[in-house]
Amino acid sequence: MNKALIIHALWAVVAITSFVVGAQYFAGDAMTAAHGDSGKSGGAGASGGSTGPVAGAYHPRPASRNSRSAGVPDLGEPGRVNLSEQGIKSLGNILQTSNNPIERRIAFAKLLEGLTVENAELLREQITHMSSDSPEWKDFHYAWGALAGQSVVEFGAKSEQKDMAAAFSGWASANPQAALSWFNSQSTEDQNRRDLKWGAVYGLANTDPRVATDFAMQRLEMGDKDAGHMMNLIARAVMKSGSPEEAARWSASVPEGKLRDVAVSQVARGYADEDPSKAVSWLQTLPEGNGKALGFGMAFSTWAARDAEAAGNHLNQMNDSPERDSAVTGFTRRIAYQNPRAAVDWASTITDPKMRNETLVHSGRAYLRKDREAARQWLASSNLSAEVQKRIIGPGKRK
């Protein structure tokens, strides 16, 4: 392998790694929702004296357990590469004109490494051709927000692009107290902006799940319907940054109520991804409640995807209970499309009538799609009420 190829390969690793930093917290439906309000109200950016972090006080997201175990290198702080104005524009030209995706990634990685408070706006000019939904756009504004705090959020308030969620998330990750103090000083209308509140959750979850949990609890008390989704996000962050046992202890520390139920169920799913048997053993130690039942559903759904036979054997050893009902529901919904006949048989063992009927409707519909004749024969001998059978078959359809 020649020297040039080796250098390009090494830079590719650095570039790809840089995309991981912060990017995971801007993927998925939640962050898309965070950008739902495209209009920028002046109030969100209007504030008194700067409470942002000192320039250079950049704190990248803690590495996940997977990245630590894989030996992913620490990229260090932005600003460690001294870029001239000409160098910045040259890298920008590569981003805008190169057809080689690796070249573009390397150029972006170098720009991000050279980011400073002084050159940030010039760097931003090099990526304005990109979609504001792109990972690069979000990564850049996350890093800039972590570096310069309030000034970047105020810049975002005046921007026509989707800057504020990523910028505020970066600020909240680097200086949670300053970011929250600023957030709490805003009007109720601005606090309810999706870009700001979701930016806060992402950033706080990066740095301190306990502070993020308190934020979600506060949002719940204010009647925010997104509080449960926020807790889901926090739970995923906790699972990524620590062991399942640590995540389980965190979920138990959440105040009793709706958000603890969400935390327990989300941790149960993540725990089951690693060791379903241990996840179930942990759930069995919890006090009775909705969170425990939801957790069983999540755990057995995940277990069924990994090893349906082992999950089924464990279900056979469980006594009738609300937890078993939830476990069977999660298990059944997972296997319904691969083995609908087994799914309807399992669903029939649920003791709660309403839950049993709902699960049978779901499994029965899957059965009809996979093998209509066999499903018709099952329905004829199922002793299900006419109402439930009608729901399975669908309106206007014949058995």
Side-chain angles (χ1 to χ4, degrees), residues 55-388:
Y58 172 82
H59 303 286
R61 179 174 69 83
S64 70
R65 288 177 290 117
N66 290 338
S67 65
R68 288 200 300 268
S69 63
V72 174
D74 180 3
L75 295 180
E77 298 182 357
R80 73 175 185 177
V81 174
N82 187 17
L83 293 177
S84 66
E85 180 176 345
Q86 181 179 355
I88 291 171
K89 291 181 178 179
S90 295
L91 291 171
N93 184 61
I94 293 173
L95 283 175
Q96 296 167 31
T97 63
S98 175
N99 291 323
N100 187 321
I102 302 302
E103 278 190 353
R104 295 197 302 271
R105 290 174 183 172
I106 293 171
F108 179 73
K110 289 181 177 179
L111 282 176
L112 205 58
E113 284 188 293
L115 173 67
T116 66
V117 172
E118 293 74 24
N119 68 17
E121 292 193 38
L122 179 59
L123 261 64
R124 184 180 182 277
E125 290 176 9
Q126 313 311 310
I127 63 170
T128 53
H129 64 289
M130 296 179 176
S131 166
S132 55
D133 289 320
S134 68
E136 296 92 340
W137 185 269
K138 295 168 185 176
D139 285 353
F140 172 80
H141 286 86
Y142 182 97
W144 189 15
L147 190 66
Q150 180 177 332
S151 63
V152 186
V153 176
E154 291 175 346
F155 180 95
K158 302 172 186 177
S159 171
E160 295 181 359
Q161 281 79 32
K162 301 172 182 178
D163 299 358
M164 288 190 70
F168 192 59
S169 182
W171 184 18
S173 73
N175 195 334
Q177 296 307 318
L180 281 178
S181 176
W182 179 87
F183 180 89
N184 291 330
S185 73
Q186 304 304 299
S187 67
T188 300
E189 180 182 1
D190 285 330
Q191 288 182 24
N192 285 327
R193 286 181 52 152
R194 300 185 70 82
D195 48 8
L196 284 181
K197 70 181 184 180
W198 278 105
V201 173
Y202 273 85
L204 294 173
N206 284 357
T207 302
D208 193 333
R210 292 171 296 180
V211 177
T213 300
D214 290 342
F215 182 83
M217 295 296 299
Q218 179 184 5
R219 299 303 303 177
L220 180 67
E221 292 171 2
M222 294 174 63
D224 192 331
K225 295 180 180 179
D226 287 330
H229 297 300
M230 292 178 181
M231 188 58 72
N232 259 325
L233 185 152
I234 298 165
R236 291 197 297 270
V238 172
M239 286 295 300
K240 286 180 180 178
S241 63
S243 68
E245 292 79 10
E246 290 170 335
R249 288 193 291 272
W250 164 79
S251 68
S253 73
V254 177
E256 187 175 354
K258 175 184 176 181
L259 295 192
R260 180 194 279 183
D261 294 344
V262 172
V264 168
S265 62
Q266 188 65 39
V267 169
R269 178 163 64 179
Y271 205 158
D273 271 333
E274 299 218 0
D275 192 324
S277 180
K278 284 187 177 180
V280 171
S281 295
W282 162 63
L283 287 167
Q284 289 171 337
T285 69
L286 300 180
E288 304 300 315
N290 191 47
K292 182 177 183 178
L294 289 172
F296 270 102
M298 287 287 196
F300 273 90
S301 175
T302 302
W303 199 352
R306 288 176 52 132
D307 188 341
E309 183 177 358
N313 289 338
H314 195 100
L315 282 173
N316 280 327
Q317 298 171 21
M318 294 179 68
N319 296 323
D320 290 344
S321 66
E323 289 74 28
R324 185 186 184 279
D325 283 352
S326 292
V328 173
T329 297
F331 175 84
T332 299
R333 287 178 176 268
R334 176 69 70 169
I335 69 169
Y337 297 101
Q338 288 74 39
N339 193 344
R341 175 69 230 199
V344 295
D345 288 343
W346 276 106
S348 299
T349 70
I350 296 173
T351 57
D352 179 85
K354 182 177 180 181
M355 188 179 294
R356 181 175 62 248
N357 286 341
E358 291 298 322
T359 309
L360 280 167
V361 167
H362 178 271
S363 302
R365 288 172 177 171
Y367 201 179
L368 280 171
R369 284 191 287 270
K370 191 173 183 69
D371 188 339
R372 188 167 187 82
E373 183 58 34
R376 287 179 58 200
Q377 294 177 17
W378 163 72
L379 272 174
S381 60
S382 66
N383 295 321
L384 292 175
S385 68
E387 179 186 355
V388 172

